[in-house]
Amino acid sequence: MKLFPIRGGIHPDYRKELTSDKAIAALPMPATLYIPLQQHIGAPAEVLVKEGDMVKKGQMIARNQGTVSASQHAPTSGRIRAVAEVTAPHPSGLPQSTIILESDGKDEWAELPEPITDPFAADAHTINERVSQSGIVGMGGAAFPSAIKLNLGEQKKLDILLLNGAECEPYLTCDDRVMREYPDAIVDGARIMAHALGTPRVIIAIEQNKPQAIEIMTKAASAFPGVEVIGVPVQYPMGSERHLVQAITGRETPARKLTADLGVVVHNVSTARAVHDAVRFGRPLVARVVTVSGGAIREPKNVLTPIGASITDLVGFCGGFAVRPESVVNGGPMMGQPLPGLDAPVVKGTSGILALTAGEINDNPTSACIRCGSCITVCPCGLSPVDMSAFIRKDKLEVAAKLGVMDCFSCGSCSYVCPSHIPLVHYFNYAKGVLNDLERERQKNERIKTLAEVRTIRIEKATEAKRAALAARKPAADSAAPGNAGEPKATTEEKANA
Amino acid sequence: MEAYVLLFVSAALVNNVILARFLGLCSFMGVTTRIDTAVGMGLATTFVITVSSMADWAVGAYLLEPYNLWYLRTVTFIMVIAAAVQFTELTVKKVSPPLFQMLGIYLPLITTNCAVLGVAILLVEHKMNFIEATLFGFASSVGYSLVMVMMAGLRERLALADVPRLFAGPPNGFIVASLLALAFMGFSGMTA
Amino acid sequence: MAQYKTIVKDGLWENNGVFAMLLGLCPAMAMTGTATNALGMGLATAAVMAASSMLVGMFRNQITQEVRIPVFILVVASMVTLVDLFMNAWMHELYKVLGMFIPLIVSNCLPLARLEAFAGKNSTLPSLMDGLFMGLGFTIALTMIGAVREIVGTGTLFADASLLFGPAFKVMETRLLPEDTGILMMILPPGGFLVLGLLVVGKRILDVRAGKAIQMGGAHSAA
Amino acid sequence: MWIAIGSLTVMGIVLGALLGVAAKFLAVKENPLEEELKELLPGSQCGQCGYVGCSQYAAALAKGEASVTLCTPGGKATIEALAKKLGVTADTSEHEEKLPEHAFIVEDLCIGCTRCIRECSTDAIMGANKLMHTIIVDACHGCAKCVKVCPTDAIVMVPVKVTLRNWHWPKPNIEQTHAEHQAGHAH
Amino acid sequence: MSITIANKSAPFAHGVSSVRKTMFLVLLALTPATLFNLYLFGWPAIMLFTVTVAACLIVEAGCLSLAGKPVMATLADCSALLTGWLLAMSLPPWAPWWLGVIGAVFAIAMAKHSFGGLGQNVFNPAMVGRTVLLISFPVAMTTWIVPYPLFSAGAPGFIDALAITFGGQMPDAVSSASALGHIKTELSRHIPVIQSMADVPGLTDMLLGYRAGSMGETSAILILAGGLFLMYKRIISWHIPLSVMGGLFVMASIFHLVDPAKFASGTFHLVSGATFLGAFFIATDYVTSPVTRTGQLIFGVGCGVLIWLIRTFAGYPEGVAFAVLLMNALTPIIDQYTRPRAFGRNRKGEPLPLEKRP
Amino acid sequence: MKKQRTFSHGLILGAFCLGFGIVLAYSDHITVDDIKAAALQDRLNSLGQVIPASIHDNNLVDDAMVMNNQGDQEITVYRATKDGKVTGLAYEIFGVGYAGKIKLMLGIDTEGKVLGVRVLAHKETPGLGDKMEVKKTDWILKFDGLSLGNPPVEKWKVKKDGGQFDYWAGATITPRGIVNAIRNGLELFAANKEKMMDMNAPKAEPNKGGH
Amino acid sequence: MKVGIAYALPQRQAWYDVEVPDGATVKDAIERSGILAQFPEIDLVQQKVGIYGKVSKLDAVLNGGDRVEIYRTITCDPKTVPRKAKAGEAASEAEG
Amino acid sequence: MMMGGIVDSSTDYSAPALTEGIAQVVAVEGDMAWLVPESGTSCGGCSSAAACGSKGIGTVASRLEQRRFQMVNDAGLKIGERVVVGVSENAVLRASLIAYAIPLATLLVSGGMAQWAAGHDFITMGAMLVGLVFGLWLSRVRAGQMMARGELAPRFIRRASMGETCNLE
């Protein structure tokens, strides 16, 4: 199949060999699990349990709330210790509402929903409902509730389900391992999703630096005519949804539109496997494969981890730190988030935990920009990081916005190549945050202005009504004292209070 | 033809109004913080200079010369220029009020732009004929606009630079102008 | 009296037309190849400023808002013409050098700005003082620029002063560097801009020493 | 000589007439400045500026009687906008951007007097006579007028809380990174 | 277990590039040509080179300490070294020492540090230095000598060199005109180019560098090799060098075809003067050239055309420095109008229209 | 009312114009003679440098004539007479310098021998191309006494071009332009000797030129 | 017609807009808004309701734009709560 | 995990063109409405007004005069109404091209042609005058066209809601 070139991109040092050839190992069930109510984009889930409740594995303990949300399930059986504020796996180090579950060691399954025996006979709604019930979110890192994406078939005419197995981030091999070890589950999950979406074609895109995965997946897909496996060039960030779609179809997703508008829906390979589990066995998403790697980890490997296991447990399982890490990263080195500490739990979107040494990060002091233009060359979004960061530095965020800082998806290519080691992505994240703040503030101000006006009108009306009432009363009782009659009643009340 | 090309190059580049003749420096330092402003000012000035140099030439040839009133040139020229600006203002307003709304602010600045008067005086000093005068006016103002836009571009860039505090603002502008003038020295001798 | 003291101080240095307000740049560049020319130009401008400020101060009540600017221009233009005529008649050598630039005093921003800012609002005598001292401050600035450019550029100071002002000024002519050793660029256009820029920096350094805040941008602070 | 005087005079008259025509052409019927200024103000009529409401402040501004720095709820942005509109330079250095705040009612002190409710121009306080009053944070813009009228000091201003939803990366401090690194090398 | 506070956003990986490495590679690429020229022009050239580079470093250090920036750390980025090096290469080899020093002051203090130092300047510092010298000291800056290779007969010894560089005692007999200067002078006497071309060194000599000229002008072939090395190392892309040479060559060739008596050929323009040095090492200066590929092409063609215009019509025989400065002045505007198209948007920034799908 | 205001603007401005018109006209009136005298003196001064006072007893400006030179430019030829006999001529010649035209005044005697040359105006680079000014060097004085035959025509070049005239370091174009200009000036005389010496030819207006 | 429904706790507040038919009562609006599901602790028997700071009955008829408010009781004894200093009181009195 | 910072942003920052602004109707003349913009000018170029001695020209009142603009009143606007208008981003550039470059070009071209054909100063002058008038007419037409497309002048987008404020930057 003919592929299309994508703009820019880089070829970082991948270092996938640290973990790619080791089979997935399961983490022994930790004694305590921390399940945040929000592990996804959207509204946090609503707690269904309270302190002291006994739950079984797979039991729903928090329900999705609102349209964009996902439910949470107990990763093992045990007792709810508390619903409390616990540090989130987030660079801010801020706490969030988390269900704390103490394992009883039995790992007993709850009564699960009935498997859908023939999903291809079931209607889309049934499948979506099941996916939604199972708390499945995008497992590539963005953690967008998958059921919503599976609903797109209702609104748009779709052609292709694109399964993203590019895994372009260095170090990460969890998708690679899942593809190698569970190819049939992935293909089946993909076919179920394609059925729900109504797409005739399924394309599984895998970067060419994973030849075994390509081979195994091709074999697994060979039985199904609608399913193709395509090796895509090794080029970071090939795994970005829009770029992968461009590479496969040659079509560029317009800004502020979705790939679905081009007829393509993209899901992660691990998500497909989770869908398979949910549909065929009724199992909700309670565990995921996490790559634990980096130069500071003694025994890097891929670990099947229950959601909510603390990162300390995970690192301990991998032999602990060989050297003091410079940074511990949640996700890949390019787009991952630094962790403020190791207390935070693994969540559904955690694809990797990397403990990186200073040498691996290769962070040097920032020097002045020499306008070499490398950042422009590598930017897959066609932006001008050099100019945007200069404007942000001088607090001219509106100009940076004009230049497209909101179109940046923080892939990190520009920061990676910058010879002056300017924290370009950091600038953009800052700008995006402030611009969002401003947007929020603007919305709030508009609201407040309206509120004030509404109130003024209301009070005017009330005064008017009172005056009218008074005028009506006046002829009747024309001996009433004219001055005091209009005084608001509230004053007397107040006096009573005082 | 070649003479006209030379006249043009000489007036626009070699003896650039701003960089070699030092005319119109107020607007050069003042209205060059943004490119589109510089373009607006440049085009407005180009129009006014061209029109007023024609008018000034006519006043010179048909009023001052016959009656030997050259000593009144300063007064008459400046009034002709003021009238030309006023004329432009009214015409633009007549032609399109929205245009006027957008460009109106530049026009009053032009009356006191010494480039306009300077060009008029120069074409008298050089005893040019009508065609030369028109071309000279036009070429000079093209050179003016060119330098204005270049300067605006540079200053937009420098607004992002970490200019030392002592140099920030006007001194930096002068140094840029100095370097720009240095670059334009490369054209010297082009008309010899 | 205090008012006049402020006028003098402002005009000569504090609020100097060139260094602080960045006005009248055209002659400040064009006529400062040598200190002598600069001095001549400065004095001519000062004369125009003093005369026109006085006139405007006198007639300020007759000038309506709408015709203000044209009248100001007219006043300056007339004064300039007078200077032009008198200089041509009685200081012909100087006129030969400054000739082309005398008419341009009209569109020098400084006289107009002072008419607008001061003379239009004050009575005759303060206006005259303001015009005169602003003009002298302008002369000082021009002469400083001219002196720096001349010394660095050609190694002389007030060369040809005797030719322009009269034989009495022969004493001012000095040579500070040997023949042909100056940095020629200084008397060429780039040097003009450079020296003005550096002198503004110099004034800032003095201001900082004196414990004052740096005046960031004269008329255009946005820069 | 007569030609000189004559031509100059004629020119003057013509130019003056031209100007007159222009002035007539451009005449404005009213001065909309006050309206414009009013629009720049938050419009919550909080009165912290010392004037009765935003309109009065705007009127004072238009007349040049008031300083542009008086509007507290509007913050730095409003000051700058007003300054820009009026063509003055505002010294915003003293008006450091305050962190956004909202009012908060200490429940143990609230006696349900409804004074604050009447004071609030955005209906951000909910409650009734002798019943608990509560601030609706989303509707509160932090004017702090309620704080002044509360008889029991039950209302305090608290900073808007930073949560995972509104947290964002701070601006990178390059100089600091540089210094840190140097310190690192020194070890 | 305590780990570093998360004070920096992703990415947590970085390529091997650094400013110092980039500058170092450029210096490396310049080395062969420099060594050859130092050999060619002997001791005086070595002295001038040393003085100029040292002056640049000292001025840089002075400016840095005045600005309160770390001196040694910044000096180590090699940018001042490179500026000094390029400035030295654009001077006549036997020029007096003060030329190098004055050039260094203007290049580093005026053109670079008054804007805030590395990366903030808008004009190429080395070319500012050279241009200031050229218009200030036209005589010294246009006094060329024929090559006197080190240790060859007639070459000045160490002591003679001291006299030349520091004593200002230029031997009278050795001066010679550069090829471009010669043609220009002859043309002004109405001697056709074809005729005057007979007096300038042949193409091979021009390429190999056995001719009069500044250190950077001679030895085109070694400069070319250095440039190709930089391209191979991906320090520079082909866009600027090729478009500079292309613009110059095309203009020169067209006019040469029209009137060979008045206009020198494209090939001559390419190998003479500082074309190669300008195209590969000066116009490609990151800080002062456009950042996008399209912008670089426009910049390069502009440089090429201006070089030809200035060489052919203006007063100065060599136009590289002026052309580069003029295009530097246009760089911000070029940059603004050649920004790449953002993903999913058209050139204006509007979101792309949604195409009709088959 | 609007109309009235329009009118009054015109009147105010008109009144000022009238006032200044009178002042200026009067000033012109009192200065015009002095300006003329200054201009005349100026001209005489420059002529005096190329025609020694000893060889004439007339006012050089009075006996001027106008003719065209080789380049079809109108030039004024000033003639020195002693006892009614022409003893010398002076006229403007033009050379092409580095930065533009160079205007010189050439004075010759009746045999075509150079009495003196002076630069009137030029745009050459100060400090480099201005060495022909008598203030700077005495280079220009070396032409005194030379004529077309002395040195021979082929030697009327700068040394660099195989002629006999010095040039100064860094600049060849300027001296070359001047040498050419002088040679052309001498050739003009050679070709138009009769016409130029004809005192009956129509005389030029003494104060023409310069406003 | 559109009316607002609000309930507020110190840390969590809700203020929804709901569309109700003309002539709807306070109770109708509360039920329609679903606010009871969000705050299960609301007990309409115990807690008072009102419109814009005025206590009203559950079966009061609404007008467009009204805000239905569900109140909580005060927790302190108004008699024992310390009052602001006299000066402050006077000032607020004057303002009020 | 990207939990923070999700705002339902209705603003496409990078999109060009139409910068919205609020204007108030100050007069209605026939089918045209006069409006005064409420935000600052887009050019910010008056910084040199003081420098050039035309300070008075740049005062608030006079600048407001000049910023009055006219718009076809299709929407039946009344005095005092506030409306949202959109202005194209690079309008100043386009506007100055239309207002000055077109007439100037026709003036020079017609003058040049007349000079080449007739070679007489008076004819040339006449031709230039004709060219200028023609160019002014042309720019009027162009301005009209572009105005119709909303590329040049502010155009009516919608009536401003009560709470709508001007977008300050």
Side-chain angles (χ1 to χ4, degrees), chain A residues 189-492:
Chain A
R191 290 180 60 239
I192 295 170
M193 287 199 281
H195 169 70
L197 288 164
T199 58
R201 290 174 73 193
V202 175
I203 296 174
I204 303 171
I206 304 169
E207 268 195 1
Q208 279 153 349
N209 58 0
K210 294 180 260 300
Q212 293 97 328
I214 294 178
E215 191 185 320
I216 293 168
M217 289 301 294
T218 311
K219 218 167 109 198
S222 58
F224 307 101
V227 183
E228 302 161 64
V229 175
I230 294 176
V232 291
V234 183
Q235 180 185 7
Y236 179 85
M238 189 52 94
S240 145
E241 194 172 272
R242 285 155 191 257
H243 293 92
L244 194 60
V245 168
Q246 192 187 25
I248 302 284
T249 67
R251 282 179 294 191
E252 195 173 319
T253 317
R256 301 171 79 75
K257 288 273 188 294
L258 303 170
T259 57
D261 292 308
L262 300 178
V264 187
V265 173
V266 185
H267 278 284
N268 183 265
V269 285
S270 295
T271 312
R273 183 179 163 234
V275 169
H276 164 86
D277 284 355
V279 171
R280 296 283 185 187
F281 307 103
R283 285 183 211 143
L285 180 59
V286 290
R288 67 155 298 144
V289 178
V290 178
T291 304
V292 183
S293 185
I297 295 284
R298 192 160 285 147
E299 299 161 25
K301 60 179 109 170
N302 279 295
V303 185
L304 177 65
T305 316
I307 303 300
S310 90
I311 290 165
T312 316
D313 292 342
L314 200 59
V315 170
F317 179 64
C318 294
F321 293 130
V323 292
R324 187 176 179 278
E326 175 81 7
S327 275
V328 178
V329 181
N330 169 14
M334 299 300 292
M335 290 181 72
Q337 302 270 34
L339 285 170
L342 299 181
D343 306 328
V346 166
V347 291
K348 292 174 183 175
T350 308
S351 48
I353 296 294
L354 307 178
L356 302 170
T357 62
E360 286 171 301
I361 296 173
N362 187 23
D363 192 18
N364 281 344
T366 301
S367 57
C369 170
I370 53 169
R371 300 188 62 82
C372 66
S374 314
C375 50
I376 295 177
T377 316
V378 300
C379 179
C381 291
L383 303 174
S384 300
V386 50
D387 296 332
M388 296 195 304
S389 64
F391 282 112
I392 296 169
R393 202 166 69 92
K394 292 275 170 182
D395 293 313
K396 292 182 178 157
L397 297 186
E398 74 285 4
V399 189
K402 191 88 223 152
L403 293 178
V405 75
M406 292 312 253
D407 283 6
C408 162
F409 69 105
S410 302
C411 73
S413 302
C414 49
S415 294
Y416 179 86
V417 296
C418 180
S420 301
H421 290 262
I422 296 168
L424 294 160
V425 175
H426 193 145
Y427 274 115
F428 305 150
N429 287 343
Y430 157 72
K432 285 186 254 182
V434 174
L435 288 168
N436 279 337
D437 273 358
L438 288 175
E439 182 80 26
R440 263 193 294 258
E441 200 175 314
R442 208 168 60 86
Q443 285 168 4
K444 180 169 180 180
N445 279 341
E446 257 168 46
R447 196 166 154 215
I448 283 190
K449 210 161 194 172
T450 321
L451 285 177
E453 277 178 33
V454 165
R455 182 183 149 94
T456 316
I457 291 169
R458 194 179 78 230
I459 287 171
E460 267 169 20
K461 254 190 205 158
T463 323
E464 194 65 29
K466 230 169 241 170
R467 197 174 296 146
L470 185 70
R473 223 168 52 197
K474 218 175 178 180
D478 58 5
S479 63
N484 289 341
E487 196 160 327
K489 204 174 157 230
T491 321
T492 28

Side-chain angles (χ1 to χ4, degrees), chain D residues 23 26-33 35-36 39-41 77-78 81 84-87 164-167, chain H residues 3-6 24 26-27 29 36-40 60 63-65 67-68 82 164-166 168-169:
Chain D
L26 295 167
V28 198
K29 283 163 197 142
E30 56 190 281
N31 184 353
L33 184 62
E35 273 302 305
E36 294 193 13
E39 278 311 316
L40 293 176
L41 294 168
T78 301
K84 194 172 160 194
K85 172 75 72 194
L86 291 168
L164 286 181
R165 287 192 157 258
N166 61 13
W167 179 88
Chain H
M3 295 185 302
I6 302 296
Q24 189 167 28
V26 292
E29 292 169 8
V36 176
E38 293 187 351
S39 54
V60 177
R63 255 188 284 168
L64 286 176
E65 281 171 31
R67 286 195 287 114
R68 263 162 64 102
R82 297 169 68 232
E164 202 151 2
T165 53
C166 11
L168 285 178
E169 205 38 76

Side-chain angles (χ1 to χ4, degrees), chain A residues 27-33 76 101-105 305-310 313-314:
Chain A
L27 179 73
M29 187 57 66
T32 314
L33 294 169
T76 186
L101 172 64
E102 275 168 4
S103 166
D104 59 7
T305 316
I307 303 300
S310 90
D313 292 342
L314 200 59

Side-chain angles (χ1 to χ4, degrees), chain A residues 159-173:
Chain A
D159 310 320
I160 300 173
L161 166 66
L162 185 57
L163 225 49
N164 187 348
E167 198 163 52
C168 56
E169 278 267 11
Y171 294 93
L172 300 190
T173 56

